[in-house]
Amino acid sequence: MLEEKNDNLPTADGNVPNDSNESIQLESVITENEATTAETAEATAENTAETTEEEVVTADVETEHVNQKALNSIDDSNAEESEDETLKDRHHIPMQDYDTLSMEQLVDELLILVANDKVMSVKEHVEEIKKAFLAKYNHFIEEKKEEYHTENPDTTEDFQYHFPLKVKFDQSYSTYRDNKNTHFKSLQTNLKSNLENRLAIVEELKELINPQENIKDTLKHFNELRERWKNAGSIPKDKYNHVWNNYHFHVENFYDYLHLDREARDLDFKHNLEQKQKIVARVEELVNEADVNKAFRELQDLHKIWKEDIGPVSKEHRDAIWNQFSDLTKKMHDKREVLFEKLRGTELENLEKKKEIIAAIEVLATVKVNSHSQWLAQIEKVEALRAAFFAAGKVPSDVNEETWGAFKLAVRNFNSFKNSFYKDIKREQNENLEKKNALVAKAQQLQESTDYTATTPIMKKIQEEWKQIGHVPRKYSDKIWKEFKDACNNYFNKLKEQKDEHNAEEIEAFDKKKSYLETLREYQLTGDHKTDLDAIKLHIETWKNFGKVPFPRRHIEGKFNKILDALFDKLSLSKKDTDLLRFTNRIEGLSENNDTRKIESEKIFLMRKIDEVNNEILQLENNIQFFTNTRNAKKENSIVLEVRKNIAIHKESLDGWKEKLKQLRNLKIE
């Protein structure tokens, strides 16, 4: 046997070198004589083998075929790490489900990864973050674009949206890309040089098989070549297996076909066997490790040590130790496959969740609501469903794009449905804006008016109309409200200043009336009717000339009227004249205080009294006609005389009520 069976990992084309009957794969690196020698040795061994041994070999080949997938998986990864040593640390960074993170979280994760100096160890992470971020960002921009065109249906301007988080993402990703390009340039230069160096070492190994050279010098040279090999550096991954297989072939060839010191060789074989047995023992422990991914990563490292750091063992142990290692590798690979199947099952569960979420959004895109508050509730539901969609986790890669597309379509349809409602709202708000602009113009026109009696009711009416008008577009709301409020405040502040001036005058009038009231309490009539009547009228006129008093202090008017009533009672006037004087004084007081409510109430009272008296007179006149049509009509009895007397009294009362109503209607209220 020319090489230890499957001691090396698979070649780049996926074939695993077996024992001598597969050594033809190495023809490109062995001389024709070496191949012939090897084939002769193998033929001799095969001729002495029993049929049962051939069956064992066949079984071994089948076992190796079963293990092929597990070995390829590890070999491909190690070949990649061989090309770029920064990949050795990639497994220490946990791969997250980046689809479940928000855009802010994705950018934060990207910043952390970009700060890592091992560019290639974060490559897969960065690309996953980029994919997740751009998907969310594009969806976000589509929604903003729809909102923009909904709010500005007639615009001819291109949609633009500044998103600082996207700028931050682009800057971080650009830094990562620059670092990666720099890394690749340096890597390519080194790979080519290292490959040439390793091929040269292989060529020197071939030349060591020289029986004429001193064995000690040959062994020393061999050890130097092995040390140079360990320090030769990374090579391209597509050359990795081929170069390593050739190297190990010639190392084993050196051990097997040179006449080395058997004792030294056996010691080396024994040491190598012990090291490989330790690896096998460790792999047996890893098979029971709970963390399958961690165990598999360590298995990759053990394969690399087996292949790169430990030399061959004796022929009698080569098959056994390798098969043991290979079988354990397959067990680890099977456990990993079970884990992957479980993950795929989880992805299928996530797919079902996302389908349910999409279906729920599609339903919401058909539920018609007719108020802003109801739409806010619908929007809140969709936002919750969106958050659930992003938190649901990964789905199988073959349906990922399809699922994402269905989700975007469902959200877009909901937004279109929602926007159709808000287009109507927008139209209504624009109509409200026109109405409010008209009120603003009217308020600004009246704000400098000094005709407070006429303007104040108009300004109050304008304010009431403003309250009845609905919302306007948000971008105009603050501006138009400020304009309206400033115009109203300007007018009512001036009105307040004018009232404050009047209040000062009213307080002064109250003080004068209060002092005059004390003087009037001591007034005594002279007994002369005309003189006393003129004096009372003068008191009334003087009182009126003092002016109005503050509203809370109008009780002083009642005190003045009580004094007048006492004076009128002492005058020798008719009841009618006294009553008219009192009424005139009272309604003039109401007029001065602009007490329109009491004046209107008084007017209604007088009109009712006039109706009542008219009805009484009519009834009495009907009664007289009844008595005058009887036999004794020529002689009016006492009843008829009494009726006539009552009619005269009612007519006199009617004149008084009419006179009061006439005075009331002639009042000029300010």
Side-chain angles (χ1 to χ4, degrees):
M1 182 179 288
L2 300 181
E3 61 177 347
E4 180 177 349
K5 186 174 183 181
N6 274 343
D7 200 350
N8 302 299
L9 296 182
T11 59
D13 58 5
N15 295 318
V16 179
N18 294 322
D19 50 48
S20 57
N21 60 351
E22 294 185 0
S23 61
I24 190 168
Q25 296 177 31
L26 306 176
E27 282 181 353
S28 59
V29 291
I30 357 176
T31 63
E32 186 176 347
N33 291 334
E34 289 170 338
T36 303
T37 305
E39 289 170 1
T40 303
E42 290 297 333
T44 304
E46 289 176 0
N47 290 334
T48 60
E50 299 290 338
T51 305
T52 55
E53 290 177 346
E54 291 177 356
E55 293 174 351
V56 170
V57 171
T58 303
D60 287 344
V61 171
E62 291 176 353
T63 301
E64 290 164 4
H65 180 72
V66 172
N67 293 350
Q68 187 73 45
K69 185 177 180 181
L71 297 172
N72 285 347
S73 175
I74 294 175
D75 185 54
D76 291 342
S77 181
N78 283 341
E80 187 175 2
E81 288 184 6
S82 172
E83 180 179 66
D84 188 351
E85 293 182 352
T86 63
L87 293 175
K88 291 179 181 180
D89 295 330
R90 75 183 188 276
H91 298 300
H92 299 307
I93 304 173
M95 179 64 77
Q96 300 187 50
D97 189 352
Y98 292 113
D99 286 339
T100 64
L101 302 184
S102 66
M103 286 191 284
E104 291 79 4
Q105 292 171 321
L106 289 170
V107 171
D108 290 341
E109 289 293 328
L110 180 61
L111 288 171
I112 294 172
L113 293 174
V114 170
N116 194 321
D117 59 345
K118 299 184 182 300
V119 180
M120 296 307 294
S121 67
V122 300
K123 177 184 176 183
E124 292 180 4
H125 296 265
V126 171
E127 294 306 320
E128 285 295 317
I129 288 175
K130 177 185 176 184
K131 179 181 176 183
F133 180 87
L134 291 181
K136 289 180 170 63
Y137 171 75
N138 291 333
H139 184 55
F140 172 78
I141 290 299
E142 285 177 6
E143 290 188 336
K144 290 297 179 183
K145 189 174 183 179
E146 286 184 8
E147 290 179 9
Y148 174 77
H149 286 300
T150 299
E151 293 183 359
N152 306 276
D154 301 325
T155 184
T156 57
E157 297 181 4
D158 291 336
F159 170 75
Q160 293 182 345
Y161 189 86
H162 177 65
F163 192 44
L165 195 62
K166 177 62 163 57
V167 176
K168 190 176 180 181
F169 172 84
D170 288 341
Q171 291 172 344
S172 298
Y173 188 80
S174 178
T175 300
Y176 160 76
R177 189 176 56 234
D178 292 343
N179 292 343
K180 186 176 70 171
N181 291 339
T182 301
H183 173 78
F184 269 125
K185 288 179 182 178
S186 173
L187 184 63
Q188 291 301 321
T189 302
N190 293 334
L191 290 177
K192 183 178 180 181
S193 174
N194 294 341
L195 177 61
E196 293 173 354
N197 188 17
R198 288 186 185 274
L199 290 176
I201 292 172
V202 170
E203 291 300 320
E204 288 189 51
L205 273 175
K206 294 179 184 180
E207 301 299 327
L208 283 181
I209 304 175
N210 184 359
Q212 305 302 323
E213 189 172 315
N214 183 281
I215 189 64
K216 290 185 178 180
D217 293 338
T218 302
L219 185 60
K220 181 181 179 181
H221 190 185
F222 174 73
N223 289 331
E224 289 175 354
L225 290 176
R226 292 182 66 182
E227 191 64 27
R228 282 170 55 194
W229 183 268
K230 287 182 181 180
N231 301 320
S234 302
I235 62 174
K237 63 181 179 181
D238 60 332
K239 306 292 184 182
Y240 174 77
N241 287 311
H242 188 68
V243 173
W244 275 103
N245 287 333
N246 282 301
Y247 168 73
H248 278 285
F249 173 82
H250 291 294
V251 167
E252 290 187 354
N253 205 30
F254 176 79
Y255 273 101
D256 291 339
Y257 293 100
L258 289 182
H259 299 289
L260 295 175
D261 183 345
R262 286 187 174 273
E263 183 178 353
R265 186 191 66 175
D266 291 344
L267 285 174
D268 197 26
F269 280 164
K270 180 181 179 182
H271 171 74
N272 294 340
L273 179 62
E274 289 173 353
Q275 295 299 311
K276 291 188 176 184
Q277 287 172 337
K278 288 180 181 180
I279 289 178
V280 169
R282 177 55 186 158
V283 177
E284 287 176 339
E285 294 175 359
L286 292 178
V287 169
N288 299 316
E289 172 67 45
D291 189 341
V292 177
N293 284 327
K294 178 182 177 183
F296 196 80
R297 289 195 295 270
E298 186 173 345
L299 179 64
Q300 285 182 238
D301 295 335
L302 293 175
H303 265 267
K304 185 168 270 190
I305 293 171
W306 183 290
K307 180 175 183 178
E308 299 178 9
D309 297 342
I310 303 176
V313 299
S314 61
K315 291 181 179 179
E316 61 183 300
H317 297 296
R318 286 179 190 174
D319 288 348
I321 193 70
W322 170 251
N323 289 337
Q324 193 176 1
F325 187 43
S326 178
D327 290 343
L328 290 170
T329 298
K330 181 181 181 300
K331 289 182 180 179
M332 280 294 303
H333 184 270
D334 290 344
K335 283 188 68 174
R336 189 162 178 252
E337 284 298 307
V338 170
L339 176 63
F340 286 162
E341 284 298 322
K342 184 177 179 181
L343 291 176
R344 279 191 284 271
T346 302
E347 289 178 353
L348 289 174
E349 291 177 3
N350 295 342
L351 176 61
E352 291 304 313
K353 291 179 184 177
K354 290 192 173 184
K355 285 182 177 179
E356 291 175 2
I357 291 170
I358 292 169
I361 295 175
E362 289 173 344
V363 170
L364 289 174
T366 62
V367 178
K368 190 173 183 179
V369 294
N370 297 313
S371 71
H372 176 61
S373 60
Q374 290 177 326
W375 270 112
L376 289 179
Q378 296 294 89
I379 292 169
E380 188 175 344
K381 291 178 184 177
V382 171
E383 288 301 318
L385 289 170
R386 285 182 53 177
F389 182 89
F390 290 129
K394 287 185 176 180
V395 300
S397 58
D398 57 331
V399 295
N400 184 56
E401 291 299 325
E402 178 185 347
T403 306
W404 175 246
F407 170 72
K408 288 197 297 181
L409 179 61
V411 174
R412 188 180 300 117
N413 289 340
F414 172 81
N415 287 335
S416 298
F417 189 51
K418 173 196 68 176
N419 291 340
S420 64
F421 169 80
Y422 281 103
K423 283 179 182 178
D424 296 335
I425 294 293
K426 188 72 175 178
R427 183 173 59 254
E428 181 181 337
Q429 288 182 349
N430 285 329
E431 293 174 357
N432 293 340
L433 179 62
E434 293 178 5
K435 294 176 182 178
K436 287 192 173 182
N437 276 329
L439 293 181
V440 168
K442 195 170 184 180
Q444 289 175 337
Q445 181 183 357
L446 294 173
Q447 65 179 332
E448 300 299 335
S449 173
T450 56
D451 185 358
Y452 299 109
T453 303
T455 306
T456 300
I458 298 174
M459 291 296 286
K460 289 182 178 179
K461 183 180 178 183
I462 289 174
Q463 290 180 323
E464 287 300 319
E465 289 179 6
W466 182 279
K467 293 177 184 177
Q468 300 304 317
I469 300 174
H471 295 288
V472 301
R474 185 171 51 189
K475 61 182 177 180
Y476 300 113
S477 179
D478 292 341
K479 176 178 177 293
I480 194 171
W481 166 244
K482 184 177 184 304
E483 291 175 354
F484 182 71
K485 184 177 67 173
D486 289 348
C488 291
N489 286 347
N490 186 41
Y491 173 78
F492 284 105
N493 286 339
K494 288 174 61 181
L495 177 61
K496 183 176 181 300
E497 291 174 3
Q498 189 262 351
K499 284 185 176 181
D500 289 342
E501 292 176 3
H502 286 184
N503 287 342
E505 296 174 0
E506 289 175 356
I507 292 173
E508 184 181 356
F510 173 79
D511 292 337
K512 290 179 179 180
K513 285 186 175 184
K514 183 179 179 183
S515 177
Y516 191 75
L517 195 63
E518 294 302 321
T519 303
L520 194 59
R521 291 181 193 279
E522 305 298 327
Y523 176 74
Q524 296 293 328
L525 295 175
T526 63
D528 181 72
H529 176 77
K530 186 177 184 308
T531 302
D532 289 337
L533 183 58
D534 291 341
I536 291 173
K537 289 182 178 180
L538 182 60
H539 285 310
I540 293 172
E541 191 64 30
T542 302
W543 184 270
K544 289 179 181 178
N545 290 335
F546 286 144
K548 291 190 296 183
V549 299
F551 182 83
R553 302 183 182 184
R554 289 184 184 177
H555 60 276
I556 199 170
E557 300 292 342
K559 294 180 179 180
F560 177 68
N561 289 332
K562 285 182 179 181
I563 294 175
L564 286 183
D565 289 343
L567 292 175
F568 283 133
D569 289 342
K570 295 177 181 179
L571 281 176
S572 57
L573 286 174
S574 66
K575 182 180 179 182
K576 177 182 177 182
D577 291 339
T578 302
D579 194 33
L580 282 174
L581 281 172
R582 288 176 177 174
F583 178 77
T584 302
N585 180 64
R586 186 162 61 85
I587 63 170
E588 285 180 354
L590 295 177
S591 174
E592 289 176 1
N593 292 318
N594 289 326
D595 199 339
T596 55
R597 185 179 62 81
K598 286 187 177 182
I599 291 173
E600 286 298 318
S601 178
E602 188 71 26
K603 189 183 296 184
I604 293 171
F605 171 76
L606 291 174
M607 293 170 67
R608 188 182 297 121
K609 292 300 293 184
I610 290 171
D611 288 341
E612 289 177 1
V613 174
N614 274 326
N615 289 334
E616 287 289 335
I617 292 172
L618 184 61
Q619 182 64 41
L620 291 172
E621 287 177 343
N622 286 336
N623 291 342
I624 285 186
Q625 288 179 5
F626 173 77
F627 284 108
T628 56
N629 289 331
T630 63
R631 294 178 182 178
N632 298 322
K634 292 181 179 180
K635 295 180 181 181
E636 292 185 346
N637 57 29
S638 59
I639 296 176
V640 173
L641 292 174
E642 184 65 27
V643 171
R644 290 187 185 282
K645 182 180 178 181
N646 283 338
I647 290 173
I649 292 171
H650 279 84
K651 284 184 176 181
E652 184 180 359
S653 172
L654 181 61
D655 291 340
W657 293 119
K658 287 182 177 180
E659 181 63 27
K660 289 179 181 180
L661 183 59
K662 181 179 178 182
Q663 288 186 26
L664 196 59
R665 285 174 172 169
N666 290 333
L667 278 179
K668 293 183 178 179
I669 303 174
E670 296 181 0

